[in-house]
Amino acid sequence: MLLYQRLEIANGGTLFLDEIGDLDLGLQSELLRVLETNEYFKIGATTPTIIDVRIIAATNKNLEYLIENKKFRDDLYFRLNVVPINIPPLRERKEDIPLLKLHSI
């Protein structure tokens, strides 16, 4: 599904973008433009489509490293990194496994 289709479906709500660190540089620039203007043009349209969407992005990659190596846009990182939440991997918090097991039923 295209980025714009997902944004349109999420209009008025929240869009979760998993593995944002794997996003192609071209799509990163498109996403940044949408985040800055809250609009995009559908193919063949003469007027923009206005959207109101909240973005939650996740990745297991080191985005600072990707920025240094020109694989992730620093301006997009700045836009997405408003409320960072760092969750250590489960292997580093084994005490959570019994609690997770109780909620998986």
Side-chain angles (χ1 to χ4, degrees):
M1 189 180 298
L2 297 174
L3 175 63
Y4 296 135
Q5 290 172 326
R6 291 172 193 240
L7 289 166
E8 195 168 329
I9 291 169
N11 193 14
T14 303
L15 178 62
F16 177 67
L17 298 175
D18 196 14
E19 297 302 339
I20 194 78
D22 293 332
L23 196 62
D24 170 83
L25 279 171
L27 279 176
Q28 289 179 31
S29 62
E30 289 183 40
L31 178 59
L32 179 63
R33 187 177 326 110
V34 170
L35 293 175
E36 289 175 342
T37 63
N38 292 328
E39 64 184 28
Y40 65 93
F41 280 89
K42 292 182 181 180
I43 295 177
T46 57
T47 58
T49 300
I50 309 295
I51 61 159
D52 176 26
V53 65
R54 179 180 322 135
I55 303 289
I56 297 176
T59 188
N60 64 349
K61 301 215 171 153
N62 183 337
L63 293 180
E64 290 90 359
Y65 174 81
L66 293 177
I67 290 168
E68 289 173 10
N69 291 294
K70 307 290 185 209
K71 294 184 179 180
F72 198 84
R73 294 179 58 110
D74 59 344
D75 46 1
L76 178 58
Y77 176 77
F78 174 75
R79 285 277 183 185
L80 293 174
N81 195 28
V82 177
V83 180
I85 300 171
N86 295 312
I87 301 173
L90 194 55
R91 68 179 170 272
E92 294 177 11
R93 47 191 181 93
K94 293 182 180 178
E95 66 279 359
D96 289 349
I97 293 174
L99 294 171
L100 292 169
K101 185 177 177 186
L102 287 174
H103 290 295
S104 66
I105 297 174

